[in-house]
Amino acid sequence: MARAVTPRRKALVTVLAWTIGLALFFPILWTVILSFKTEGDAIASPLTVLTTPFTLESYHVVQDRSNYFLHFWNSVVISLGSTLFALVVAIPAAWAMAFVPGPKTKDLLMWMLSTKMMPAVGVLVPIYLLFRDLGLLDSRIGLVVVLMLMNLPIVVWMLYTYFREIPGEILEAARMDGATLKDELIHVLTPMAVPGIASTLLLNVILAWNEAFWTLQLTTSKAAPLTTFIAGYSSPEGLFYAKLSAASTLAIAPILILGWFSQKQLVRGLTFGAVK
Amino acid sequence: MSTQASRTAARLMISPAVILLLGWMIVPLAMTLWFSMQRYNLLMPGMGGFTGFDNYSYFLTDPAFFDAIKNTLVLVLGVLAITTVGGLLLALLLDQPFWGQGIVRVLVIAPFFVMPTVSALVWKNMFMNPVNGVFAHLAKSIGLQPYDFLAQSPLASIVLIVAWQWLPFATLILLTALQSLDSEQLEAAEMDGAGPISRFFYVMLPHLARAITVVILIQTIFLLSTFAEILVTTNGGPGTASTTLTYLVYVQSLLQFDVGSGAAGGIVAVVLANIVAIFLMRMIGKNLEN
């Protein structure tokens, strides 16, 4: 039930909320604006920058000089690959835990969660040496495996919280109507599970895309995703604001769009169902 | 109804995930533990052998370790303070009716989706740079001397960058929790004569207690692993002014090639994270009961 609000109060809240919202968004907006400027214009004072002409020059330079789309593609392969592998392993596990819960299910879930609490730096040394010996340093497959294992607990947990909400009675009703196991799976359960699987996929692609510990440690050039590629701008030569902005804009745009769709799932997924 | 057959099937379905996670957790952790008791430097291949707790005493008595612990605490507590208090205020604001709620929500949540290397470099160069940054231009325009944020207050600057990334997370979670508050409860309190301040402290805050705890615990887990923001802004410096525990382990093992001491540091980090994790696990475990 909405409570009565005076128009004056609503106007005041509107001004305040928009001011804070725009202030928090400003660094992103500024990056996008600078990406359309020349290097010389990009370092001018903010009010001057706004009066300079727009150009696509930086986008061309970023692609021509550094093969930007190789790194973009690496990010796609690594984030999507690790998520899909995690789903293949996690869907049966979450399914079994949600529909055939045993006395140990809860302990098992908590144990999986505990693996996520382990700080990455605790296993940095052995993973690095293992990768070096197996020739997996700077390889996409190596990162796919690491990120898959890193996000597996979150994937299992998210799927579990979704699957648990599918009412078991529906299955019994379908069985009473003479549905076979195959009918049950294809016509009853799958349609109910797809939205949960899709949101899990979305959130984990985002997490893997932005992962910046293992990607920075384990890749240098040919398998480098955008996180590593952009870290290279920390010690650049000459003017680089416009190029950095163009590379950054391309790196964050797809995830911002996916992210805005996934707000609800974000809360649920990252709090392991503790806040819904 | 679960039968014996379906139990067996369930076990088969669960085992791949369990085996993979066991392998991911136990094997490397055991190796770290093993390395931490070895004399193992990649630059001195011949000098192996068991050293017991030498690496630990070396790592724990290194002056850099105290700096790292102090910096880790400042980083984690600083970011937590800014994001929980700021997130709570922001959530209370965004929960009010106003024009353009959907759009403002989108603007506020956006920083969370920016990859750490991008946000750190954007802040470092476009905002905090003492010559060309937005802050420097602003300072000059009002006649002040530009401030070199990352050289003069490296840790505080990193806290600011990381807090900008995590404020949306805290806000979003607290807002979600706030919206699940029964409005009748608030109205009842209002009818009983409770003003806005006592409504906040006696109705809203108890309702939010759990969400606030979750925000604090989950952020702590992630903040303990902050790495990219330090690597691309200050490299842990000047000196060790912005070196955290995570960053120190990276420096020891991959830059100075001292695997043994790096591994000892890794184990220290695991122990510290576990202390936080135990509380978090209890909270989430309670939620599984119902």
Side-chain angles (χ1 to χ4, degrees):
Chain A
M1 197 168 70
R3 295 192 296 141
V5 183
T6 62
R8 227 187 89 174
R9 185 185 154 108
K10 192 169 174 180
L12 197 74
V13 174
T14 305
V15 171
L16 202 59
W18 275 88
T19 309
I20 296 175
L22 286 172
L24 286 173
F25 189 71
F26 183 72
I28 299 172
L29 182 69
W30 194 241
T31 307
V32 175
I33 292 175
L34 290 190
S35 75
F36 292 108
K37 303 291 176 184
T38 63
E39 292 296 356
D41 291 341
I43 57 165
S45 79
L47 289 178
T48 323
V49 168
L50 292 177
T51 62
T52 56
F54 280 79
T55 163
L56 284 172
E57 189 186 294
S58 308
Y59 287 92
H60 291 300
V61 174
V62 163
Q63 169 57 14
D64 291 347
R65 287 216 200 130
S66 56
N67 200 1
Y68 183 86
F69 284 99
L70 168 73
H71 303 294
F72 191 89
W73 182 241
N74 284 343
S75 275
V76 172
V77 169
I78 290 165
S79 56
L80 208 56
S82 63
T83 305
L84 289 177
F85 272 121
L87 280 175
V88 167
V89 178
I91 290 175
W95 192 268
M97 288 194 275
F99 292 112
V100 198
K104 288 270 192 291
T105 300
K106 195 190 145 189
D107 294 337
L108 201 58
L109 275 166
M110 294 312 287
W111 170 75
M112 287 187 174
L113 180 61
S114 75
T115 65
K116 183 73 198 155
M117 312 277 162
M118 180 181 65
V121 75
V123 293
L124 170 64
V125 171
I127 297 289
Y128 186 87
L129 295 178
L130 217 55
F131 267 52
R132 187 196 60 179
D133 296 343
L134 295 173
L136 285 174
L137 285 178
D138 204 17
S139 76
R140 290 196 296 226
I141 183 74
L143 266 190
V144 165
V145 171
V146 165
L147 294 192
M148 173 232 171
L149 290 168
M150 212 186 71
N151 284 336
L152 188 57
I154 294 190
V155 177
V156 172
W157 263 86
M158 278 190 78
L159 290 173
Y160 172 77
T161 60
Y162 282 112
F163 289 168
R164 206 167 53 148
E165 280 167 18
I166 300 177
E169 295 88 54
I170 280 196
L171 291 184
E172 276 166 39
R175 242 169 261 167
M176 299 266 247
D177 292 343
T180 63
L181 186 67
K182 202 178 112 204
D183 291 335
E184 223 174 72
L185 267 176
I186 295 175
H187 297 295
V188 186
L189 287 178
T190 309
M192 298 188 75
V194 163
I197 296 175
S199 2
T200 309
L201 180 110
L202 194 63
L203 179 64
N204 279 278
V205 166
I206 295 173
L207 289 179
W209 184 278
N210 288 341
E211 204 285 330
F213 181 79
W214 291 111
T215 50
L216 289 173
Q217 303 284 6
L218 301 177
T219 62
T220 47
S221 54
K222 70 178 201 305
L226 290 168
T227 44
T228 311
F229 169 70
I230 283 170
Y233 280 96
S234 63
S235 48
E237 286 158 21
L239 292 177
F240 65 101
Y241 282 17
K243 285 191 281 289
L244 170 61
S245 297
S248 300
T249 303
L250 289 173
I252 61 179
I255 285 316
L256 272 182
I257 295 164
L258 286 185
W260 285 330
F261 286 115
S262 73
Q263 291 179 42
K264 283 264 160 57
Q265 289 76 14
L266 181 86
V267 173
R268 186 183 188 135
L270 285 180
T271 63
F272 298 94
V275 176
K276 274 184 225 168
Chain B
M1 285 296 103
S2 53
T3 59
Q4 193 56 45
S6 64
R7 272 287 156 74
T8 315
R11 242 175 242 146
L12 277 177
M13 286 160 84
I14 295 171
S15 46
V18 172
I19 292 167
L20 280 174
L21 281 176
L22 262 180
W24 166 240
M25 190 166 90
I26 306 286
V27 175
L29 208 54
M31 284 169 78
T32 306
L33 205 57
W34 170 251
F35 289 145
S36 75
M37 297 190 182
Q38 299 286 313
R39 185 180 301 134
Y40 188 177
N41 192 314
L42 294 176
L43 295 180
M44 296 179 269
M47 300 264 294
F50 188 79
T51 61
F53 291 100
D54 280 7
N55 286 321
Y56 288 90
S57 58
Y58 171 77
F59 189 85
L60 294 174
T61 54
D62 185 350
F65 171 72
F66 289 102
D67 288 341
I69 288 288
K70 198 189 76 211
N71 292 339
T72 308
L73 282 177
V74 172
L75 177 70
V76 172
L77 295 178
V79 175
L80 280 181
I82 297 175
T83 54
T84 14
V85 175
L88 187 58
L89 294 175
L90 204 49
L92 286 171
L93 180 72
L94 298 184
D95 194 35
Q96 315 280 320
F98 63 91
W99 287 289
Q101 255 174 328
I103 304 172
V104 171
R105 229 179 114 111
V106 160
L107 294 179
V108 168
I109 190 74
F112 188 74
F113 299 113
V114 177
M115 56 175 67
T117 43
V118 166
S119 62
L121 283 176
V122 164
W123 278 98
K124 177 191 178 185
N125 296 299
M126 276 82 116
F127 287 87
M128 294 175 169
N129 184 290
V131 181
N132 298 321
V134 169
F135 294 149
H137 283 299
L138 283 180
K140 274 182 276 184
S141 70
I142 53 170
L144 290 175
Q145 196 68 14
Y147 187 71
D148 193 350
F149 289 87
L150 285 158
Q152 283 167 289
S153 332
L155 195 56
S157 305
I158 292 174
V159 167
L160 189 74
I161 297 173
V162 178
W164 177 74
Q165 290 175 280
W166 283 94
L167 183 64
F169 174 78
T171 308
L172 190 64
I173 286 184
L174 295 173
L175 186 60
T176 309
L178 212 51
Q179 282 167 346
S180 72
L181 179 61
D182 192 356
S183 66
E184 280 174 28
Q185 218 181 326
L186 277 179
E187 276 158 35
E190 203 172 353
M191 291 220 251
D192 289 342
I197 292 173
S198 51
R199 278 208 302 276
F200 173 74
F201 280 104
Y202 294 107
V203 184
M204 285 180 170
L205 213 51
H207 174 81
L208 289 178
R210 179 194 168 84
I212 293 174
T213 321
V214 168
V215 165
I216 291 176
L217 294 173
I218 288 176
Q219 282 200 40
T220 309
I221 297 285
F222 280 94
L223 293 176
L224 283 174
S225 302
T226 304
F227 174 75
E229 292 86 346
I230 301 172
L231 179 78
V232 301
T233 53
T234 64
N235 263 315
T240 53
S242 57
T243 296
T244 61
L245 190 55
T246 296
Y247 199 79
L248 182 63
V249 173
Y250 156 77
V251 170
Q252 292 278 4
S253 40
L254 298 191
L255 295 186
Q256 299 179 4
F257 303 107
D258 187 349
V259 171
S261 138
I267 295 295
V268 173
V270 171
V271 170
L272 291 180
N274 268 311
I275 297 170
V276 182
I278 289 168
F279 289 101
L280 182 55
M281 304 267 288
R282 277 210 193 128
M283 296 273 312
I284 294 168
K286 267 193 202 132
N287 197 50
L288 272 184
E289 312 275 337
N290 46 54

